């Protein structure tokens, strides 16, 4: 048994408006599974497929109070493309952001609801990822996170150091998942989190038990009204275990 990363979940005050921004930013299609939920995926995409990690935007009233611990890195193909993308994103409503990055070759921005993301300088490793180069998770121990997520998912671990760890689908397609060492610690419920899904035919209860044995924990909330399971990774980051597909 194993899971794989299929989407990220992003909270928003206005899911429709934020969905339109990200659909335009990525060149993706937009759909809705009901009031307060906006789904984004590439046009013509057959979900789930590792060629893309989709985005679910869910309406929630709570304000954003701290820097997100999960963010997107967007890929570019040249310095001209990077500049053009930054300008286009500004026209769509994004702003430049300062998270203490200093003088770096990438551009840190925030979407219209303040969610941080990066527009990377061109990197050879990201030329085949699609518009999302990586999903990045802040953490205090990248090695420990790589151990957990390396067992939790069937993705391939590419690099592990004390400062960062990098994974990608075993099929060698789609964005990377990166764990980046940061000095700050988790203090609030994450507004952006990972959603993982077992494969068709897997037993969801058995998969939940397996993840718990690896170090996943219960967030301590009432989950009686939902059909999926919310768990936390070893650093307390919430993630959702969806139904097999």
């Amino acid at each position: 048994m194993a899971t794989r990363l299929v989407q990220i979940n992003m909270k928003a005050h206005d899911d429709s408006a934020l969905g339109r921004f990200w659909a335009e930013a990525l060149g993706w299609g937009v759909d809705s599974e009901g009031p307060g939920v906006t789904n984004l995926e590439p046009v013509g995409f057959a979900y789930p497929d590792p060629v893309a990690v989709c985005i679910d935007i869910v309406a929630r009233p709570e304000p954003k109070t701290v820097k997100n611990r999960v963010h997107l890195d967007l890929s570019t193909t040249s310095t001209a493309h990077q500049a053009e993308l930054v300008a286009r994103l500004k026209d769509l409503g994004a702003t430049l952001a300062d998270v203490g990055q200093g003088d770096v070759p990438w551009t840190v921005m925030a979407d219209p609801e303040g969610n941080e993301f990066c527009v990377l300088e061109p990197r050879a490793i990201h030329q085949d990822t699609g518009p999302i180069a990586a999903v990045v998770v802040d953490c205090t121990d990248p090695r420990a996170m790589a151990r957990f997520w390396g067992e939790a998912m069937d993705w391939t671990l590419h690099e592990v150091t004390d400062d960062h760890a990098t994974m990608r689908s075993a099929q060698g397609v789609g964005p990377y998942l990166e764990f980046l060492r940061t000095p700050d610690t988790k203090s609030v419920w994450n507004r952006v989190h990972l959603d993982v899904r077992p494969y068709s035919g897997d037993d969801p209860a058995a998969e939940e038990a397996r993840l718990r044995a690896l170090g996943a924990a219960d967030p301590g909330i009432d989950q009686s009204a939902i059909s999926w399971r919310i768990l936390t990774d070893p650093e307390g980051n919430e993630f959702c275990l969806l139904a097999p597909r």
Side-chain angles (χ1 to χ4, degrees):
M1 292 188 299
T3 66
R4 74 278 203 206
L5 178 61
V6 293
Q7 63 203 35
I8 64 166
N9 182 294
M10 184 181 298
K11 302 299 186 289
H13 292 138
D14 187 337
D15 63 288
S16 296
L18 194 60
R20 287 192 296 272
F21 167 83
W22 280 107
E24 290 286 342
L26 301 174
W28 284 8
V30 59
D31 195 5
S32 177
E33 63 187 64
V37 181
T38 298
N39 312 113
L40 305 178
E41 61 183 37
V43 176
F45 181 75
Y47 177 94
D49 186 319
V51 73
V53 171
C54 301
I55 301 175
D56 273 9
I57 302 178
V58 179
R60 292 289 302 178
E62 298 87 0
K64 182 178 184 293
T65 57
V66 299
K67 174 181 173 288
N68 289 339
R69 295 189 67 77
V70 181
H71 73 265
L72 297 180
D73 281 354
L74 304 188
S75 63
T76 61
T77 56
S78 67
T79 53
H81 180 211
Q82 183 184 13
E84 291 166 2
L85 181 56
V86 168
R88 186 168 69 84
L89 293 168
K90 286 181 178 179
D91 289 342
L92 292 173
T95 55
L96 297 179
D98 186 349
V99 295
Q101 69 269 23
D103 185 15
V104 294
W106 57 89
T107 304
V108 182
M109 306 190 78
D111 71 19
E113 291 215 6
N115 299 299
E116 303 84 5
F117 65 96
C118 297
V119 179
L120 301 181
E121 75 285 4
R123 301 178 186 181
I125 193 174
H126 295 142
Q127 294 309 297
D128 65 346
T129 62
I132 299 177
V135 179
V136 183
V137 181
D138 291 351
C139 64
T140 59
D141 189 344
R143 291 187 183 276
M145 291 288 273
R147 283 194 297 271
F148 171 78
W149 285 104
E151 292 289 336
M153 301 197 302
D154 62 357
W155 282 29
T156 300
L157 193 60
H158 285 249
E159 185 179 8
V160 185
T161 71
D162 289 342
D163 293 321
H164 72 276
T166 303
M167 307 174 65
R168 197 184 192 191
S169 165
Q171 297 184 34
V173 296
Y176 288 81
L177 176 62
E178 298 181 0
F179 301 100
L180 182 65
R181 188 182 190 93
T182 55
D184 53 315
T185 57
K186 185 177 184 296
S187 59
V188 298
W189 186 275
N190 287 349
R191 290 185 66 81
V192 183
H193 70 251
L194 310 181
D195 283 353
V196 299
R197 190 182 291 276
Y199 287 87
S200 178
D202 285 350
D203 181 345
E207 185 60 26
E208 179 183 349
R210 188 183 72 87
L211 292 173
R212 288 179 180 273
L214 293 174
D218 192 320
I221 61 172
D222 181 11
Q223 302 190 45
S224 60
I226 58 177
S227 59
W228 59 93
R229 296 299 296 170
I230 302 174
L231 298 168
T232 58
D233 69 18
E235 292 207 1
N237 298 297
E238 301 85 11
F239 69 95
C240 288
L241 175 64
L242 307 179
R245 185 183 298 181

